[in-house]
Amino acid sequence: MLHLRAIVPADRTEAVCDALAECPGATNVVVLAGAARSPRGDLVTADIARESANEILDALRALGVDRDGSIALDKVDLTLSDKAEEAMERAPGHGDDAVVWEELDRQVSEGTALTWSFVAFLALATQLAGIAALIDSPILVVGAMVLGPEFAAVAAICYGILRLQPRRIVQAVRALVIGFTVAVVITYVCALVSRWIGVIELDRLPEQRPATAFIYSPDRWSFIVALLAGAAGVLSLTAGKSSALVGVFISVTTVPAAGNLAVALALRHGSEITGSLLQLAVNFAGMIIAGTLTLLVQRVLWAAVLRGQDRRVARGRT
């Protein structure tokens, strides 16, 4: 269940209550007249099934509540209510299959923001990956994968393609390009300094790296893994499964490839530079293709669920 909290102009409170009453997935509606001060209005709260969230948000936005008031949705961890159970049963489909598009929009918008924390996390992850390349440590590779924040920007590209929003795509690509460039440059400089002061005693990366060779040796499996990770990542975002998203981070080798690229540049290891760049391209291409297709399939399947619900309602009225 989700908890709706809306500040509604007094002249539209009844219309909002009517919209909630017409929605089979809404229950526990409460109105506190004149409770809101900034902006002024009535406070309307309700518990709604996740699968009914888009319908209710569309109705409230059509009434201008987002413009003249406020709309907030919170996840409810526990609801002990027979009415809430009935509302979830009446709502079409299943909550895990429902995509709350406004929620996804906010999530991917954050992924396109080029903030210092985004660059810092990416730089730290890339340096971990660079160390992993030097000592052939798969544990550090996994740590770098988990620390990297790049998937949100990848999801923003997928969402932008689905919704035909070129500006969002450009912003996400910009965040990725600048973020990875800064991260690689920082790691490259650190590798050079470490070599000059004797911390790195190698003239070039080791030829035999059985535990981490996959990060600069892309093959058909690299693309297949990227496809699977892209689909799983988008599903985890839309279903709110953060634990599944961690698994996605561990699956893709974007950050490890960037770390290997930086160290290979510092040690002038040409073949691994090419392999790392190709690994980056393969991973991003696979995730974007799979993520976009997953969103498209989710939209088509949910539309089919809603059409089936409408037909059942129409038959019940006749």
Side-chain angles (χ1 to χ4, degrees):
M1 294 293 287
L2 300 174
H3 184 67
L4 170 71
R5 185 180 71 255
I7 297 175
V8 183
D11 61 335
R12 276 163 270 183
T13 300
E14 287 303 318
V16 168
C17 291
D18 290 342
L20 292 172
E22 292 173 2
C23 179
T27 188
N28 299 336
V29 180
V30 176
V31 178
L32 299 176
R37 291 292 179 265
S38 179
R40 288 190 172 275
D42 300 335
L43 178 63
V44 179
T45 67
D47 290 332
I48 61 175
R50 181 181 176 86
E51 49 268 46
S52 296
N54 291 316
E55 175 186 350
I56 291 173
L57 290 175
D58 289 343
L60 296 186
R61 295 184 71 177
L63 292 169
V65 176
D66 59 325
R67 183 183 64 252
D68 302 322
S70 175
I71 305 171
L73 281 179
D74 298 312
K75 294 179 181 177
V76 179
D77 293 326
L78 176 64
T79 300
L80 301 178
S81 168
D82 289 344
K83 294 295 184 182
E85 294 292 335
E86 293 171 5
M88 287 190 288
E89 291 176 2
R90 290 194 303 266
H94 193 279
D96 282 347
D97 297 332
V99 180
V100 183
W101 294 105
E102 287 293 337
E103 178 186 41
L104 181 61
D105 186 280
R106 295 295 187 274
Q107 287 178 318
V108 299
S109 294
E110 294 175 1
T112 64
L114 186 62
T115 61
W116 74 267
S117 58
F118 175 85
V119 176
F121 274 118
L122 198 52
L124 291 170
T126 304
Q127 290 187 72
L128 277 178
I131 296 172
L134 289 168
I135 64 176
D136 195 30
S137 170
I139 300 300
L140 288 182
V141 169
V142 172
M145 289 173 171
V146 175
L147 189 58
E150 75 279 5
F151 188 79
V154 173
I157 295 173
C158 299
Y159 185 74
I161 293 173
L162 180 75
R163 302 299 291 266
L164 301 178
Q165 297 174 339
R167 181 177 179 182
R168 187 189 299 274
I169 297 171
V170 170
Q171 289 176 335
V173 171
R174 172 176 171 268
L176 287 172
V177 170
I178 295 177
F180 270 97
T181 300
V182 172
V184 169
V185 168
I186 290 174
T187 305
Y188 169 77
V189 171
C190 289
L192 279 182
V193 172
S194 298
R195 185 182 178 188
W196 292 337
I197 64 178
V199 174
I200 298 177
E201 298 177 352
L202 302 172
D203 291 330
R204 58 186 301 165
L205 286 166
E207 293 291 347
Q208 299 297 324
R209 289 163 51 198
T212 58
F214 65 94
I215 66 178
Y216 61 88
S217 305
D219 54 20
R220 63 182 183 278
W221 293 111
S222 301
F223 186 67
I224 292 171
V225 169
L227 289 174
L228 295 173
V234 167
L235 283 174
S236 65
L237 284 177
T238 56
K241 304 292 186 181
S242 58
S243 58
L245 192 57
V246 173
V248 173
F249 293 159
I250 300 175
S251 301
V252 291
T253 54
T254 48
V255 167
N260 195 80
L261 170 64
V263 176
L265 285 169
L267 300 181
R268 299 180 182 179
H269 197 147
S271 62
E272 292 200 14
I273 293 173
T274 304
S276 299
L277 287 171
L278 186 56
Q279 183 73 272
L280 278 171
V282 166
N283 274 276
F284 280 122
M287 286 192 293
I288 291 170
I289 291 170
T292 304
L293 289 176
T294 300
L295 287 174
L296 179 61
V297 169
Q298 286 181 295
R299 186 167 70 175
V300 171
L301 290 179
W302 192 253
V305 170
L306 294 180
R307 285 196 298 270
Q309 177 72 7
D310 292 341
R311 287 194 292 268
R312 286 192 293 272
V313 171
R315 284 197 299 269
R317 289 175 178 173
T318 58

